[in-house]
């Protein structure tokens, strides 16, 4: 079945007639949900089923950003609050085994939530390594400030998701930790020398290069390509992401509608595809924008199709799991840091 190489959001709690027609005509590879699309477990489950029905593929991936901390699309009263990445960082410093166990437990619990709803992909883990003076958009979402620790905790998160039947998306490759601006609003430029980037930012992603999917950073790395952010830079994608980091999985853009990118939606979409991204991500649910992106997105074919198929094939059935015991263990671990740490 033919598909277009984009992932789309939708506007609300259910599909409008116009959105149904758009999905049937444009045939996106997958979908992404946000808080505006979430009301209750029954509603989300029904929405996920309808999205797949509209596109005519039972395995169409449905994504969500469910990290914990500040970034949770599912939350109370129907879903619990999960810790931010910094909690695993601090616990790791106290007891490395406890930090990794907490990261795994949190991800495994999140995966259980998502699996019950039919959501198959979580935009997690982060391998961004924040530095002093950077914008707070990463901040407490990060697993540490050294690449080895970040990669180790990110691997534990990955394993928790995978063992819960949910595919991970590694973000924001090749690194968002030095960005001095939130890319939702403007384009940041990082002027760090290439050798230093390779030893820090890029180094955190290298041990995770086997993950099935990754999301790019809308960040300019002037030492390598001063004219384009990584998302639209063929140099960054081929030389750094595919080359130096060694990532060979499905590469999706961060949201094409973010203000960090310049030009019309059509121009941005063409630039993303031309640079070597396999998949264009559009998030805000604006139908006019969705149509503009779809019109410039090619059919999924060649290496991009191979990577997409390989990514979906990596998903496995959840392992046995005692949710109550896992939540109690996670809470006990977090409590070792004191009452203000969750």
């Amino acid at each position: 079945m033919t598909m277009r190489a984009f992932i789309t959001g939708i506007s609300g709690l259910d599909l409008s007639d116009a959105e149904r027609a758009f999905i049937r005509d444009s045939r996106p590879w997958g979908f992404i949900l946000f808080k505006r699309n979430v009301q209750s477990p029954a509603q989300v489950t029904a929405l996920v089923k309808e999205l797949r029905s509209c596109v005519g593929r039972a395995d169409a991936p449905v994504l969500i950003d469910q990290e914990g901390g500040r970034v949770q699309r599912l939350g109370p009263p129907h879903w619990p609050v999960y810790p931010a990445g910094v909690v695993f960082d601090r616990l790791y410093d106290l007891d490395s085994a406890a930090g990794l166990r907490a990261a795994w437990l949190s991800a495994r619990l999140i995966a259980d939530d998502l699996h019950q709803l039919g959501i198959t992909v979580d935009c997690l883990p982060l391998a961004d390594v924040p530095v002093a003076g950077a914008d707070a958009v990463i901040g407490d979402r990060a697993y540490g400030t050294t690449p080895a620790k970040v990669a180790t905790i990110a691997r534990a998160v990955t394993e928790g998701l995978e063992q819960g039947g949910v595919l991970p998306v590694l973000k924001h490759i090749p690194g968002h930790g030095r960005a001095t601006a939130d890319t939702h609003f403007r384009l940041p430029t990082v002027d760090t020398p290439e050798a230093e980037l390779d030893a820090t930012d890029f180094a955190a992603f290298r041990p995770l290069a086997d993950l099935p999917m990754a999301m790019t950073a809308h960040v300019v790395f002037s030492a390598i390509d001063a004219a384009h952010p990584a998302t639209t830079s063929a140099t960054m994608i081929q030389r750094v992401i595919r080359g130096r980091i060694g990532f060979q999985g499905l590469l999706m853009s961060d949201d094409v509608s973010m203000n960090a990118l310049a030009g019309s939606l059509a121009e941005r979409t063409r630039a993303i595809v031309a640079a070597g991204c396999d998949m264009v991500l559009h998030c805000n649910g604006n139908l006019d924008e969705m149509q503009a992106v779809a019109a410039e997105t090619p059919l999924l074919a060649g290496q991009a199709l191979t990577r997409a198929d390989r990514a979906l094939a990596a998903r496995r059935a959840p392992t046995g799991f005692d949710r109550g015991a896992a939540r109690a263990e996670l809470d006990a671990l977090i409590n070792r840091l004191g009452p203000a740490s969750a």
Side-chain angles (χ1 to χ4, degrees), residues 28-105:
W29 181 70
F31 306 93
I32 187 165
L33 301 183
F34 288 84
K35 284 186 178 181
R36 66 178 183 270
N37 308 124
V38 171
Q39 184 179 67
S40 69
Q43 171 267 324
V44 175
T45 301
L47 176 59
V48 167
K49 288 179 178 177
E50 186 175 15
L51 289 168
R52 292 192 172 116
S53 176
C54 279
V55 83
R57 294 182 359 257
D59 68 343
V62 177
L63 292 70
I64 198 165
D65 288 286
Q66 188 74 353
E67 297 177 11
R70 289 181 285 137
V71 181
Q72 282 200 210
R73 312 309 187 198
L74 307 173
H78 298 292
W79 298 276
V81 172
Y82 291 101
V86 69
V87 173
F88 312 134
D89 171 25
R90 292 171 181 165
L91 190 54
Y92 186 95
D93 286 345
L94 182 69
D95 177 342
S96 61
L100 295 178
R101 180 64 176 169
W104 184 91
L105 286 164

Side-chain angles (χ1 to χ4, degrees), residues 299-325:
L299 293 177
L300 190 56
Q303 282 190 317
L305 176 59
T306 298
R307 291 175 182 135
D309 288 345
R310 191 169 61 221
L312 295 187
R315 183 170 167 259
R316 57 183 188 257
T319 58
F321 181 62
D322 184 333
R323 183 180 180 89

Side-chain angles (χ1 to χ4, degrees), residues 127-177:
D128 303 306
V129 183
V131 299
D135 187 270
V137 66
I138 299 300
D140 65 0
R141 298 163 66 191
Y143 304 136
T145 56
T146 62
K149 185 203 289 187
V150 167
T152 300
I153 295 175
R155 177 63 68 180
V157 170
T158 296
E159 292 174 352
L161 291 176
E162 290 177 336
Q163 291 174 36
V166 171
L167 291 170
V169 177
L170 178 63
K171 61 188 188 187
H172 305 82
I173 198 167
H176 205 301

Side-chain angles (χ1 to χ4, degrees), residues 124-314:
L124 195 68
L126 281 74
D128 303 306
V129 183
V131 299
D135 187 270
V137 66
I138 299 300
D140 65 0
R141 298 163 66 191
Y143 304 136
T145 56
T146 62
K149 185 203 289 187
V150 167
T152 300
I153 295 175
R155 177 63 68 180
V157 170
T158 296
E159 292 174 352
L161 291 176
E162 290 177 336
Q163 291 174 36
V166 171
L167 291 170
V169 177
L170 178 63
K171 61 188 188 187
H172 305 82
I173 198 167
H176 205 301
R178 294 180 186 273
T180 54
D182 183 339
T183 52
H184 290 86
F185 306 111
R186 65 185 181 89
L187 177 65
T189 296
V190 169
D191 293 322
T192 305
E194 186 172 354
E196 186 176 348
L197 291 170
D198 191 54
T200 53
D201 303 59
F202 305 163
F205 286 89
R206 201 170 289 122
L208 303 163
D210 62 312
L211 267 63
M213 292 181 275
M215 180 185 295
T216 60
H218 294 335
V219 177
V220 170
F221 296 89
S222 63
I224 302 167
D225 184 344
H228 306 95
T231 302
T232 59
S233 169
T235 301
M236 288 298 303
I237 289 173
Q238 296 305 319
R239 181 166 138 194
V240 175
I241 295 174
R242 300 293 191 195
R244 194 159 293 171
I245 291 172
F247 177 74
Q248 298 303 318
L250 180 78
L251 186 64
M252 67 182 71
S253 72
D254 203 345
D255 183 8
V256 65
S257 67
M258 286 181 175
N259 288 330
L261 300 183
S264 67
L265 266 293
E267 290 167 335
R268 297 178 190 187
T269 301
R270 289 194 295 268
I272 287 168
V273 173
C277 285
D278 300 310
M279 198 71 57
V280 180
L281 176 66
H282 183 266
C283 293
N284 66 24
N286 179 302
L287 186 57
D288 289 341
E289 290 191 11
M290 290 154 62
Q291 290 168 335
V293 170
E296 299 298 332
T297 304
L299 293 177
L300 190 56
Q303 282 190 317
L305 176 59
T306 298
R307 291 175 182 135
D309 288 345
R310 191 169 61 221
L312 295 187

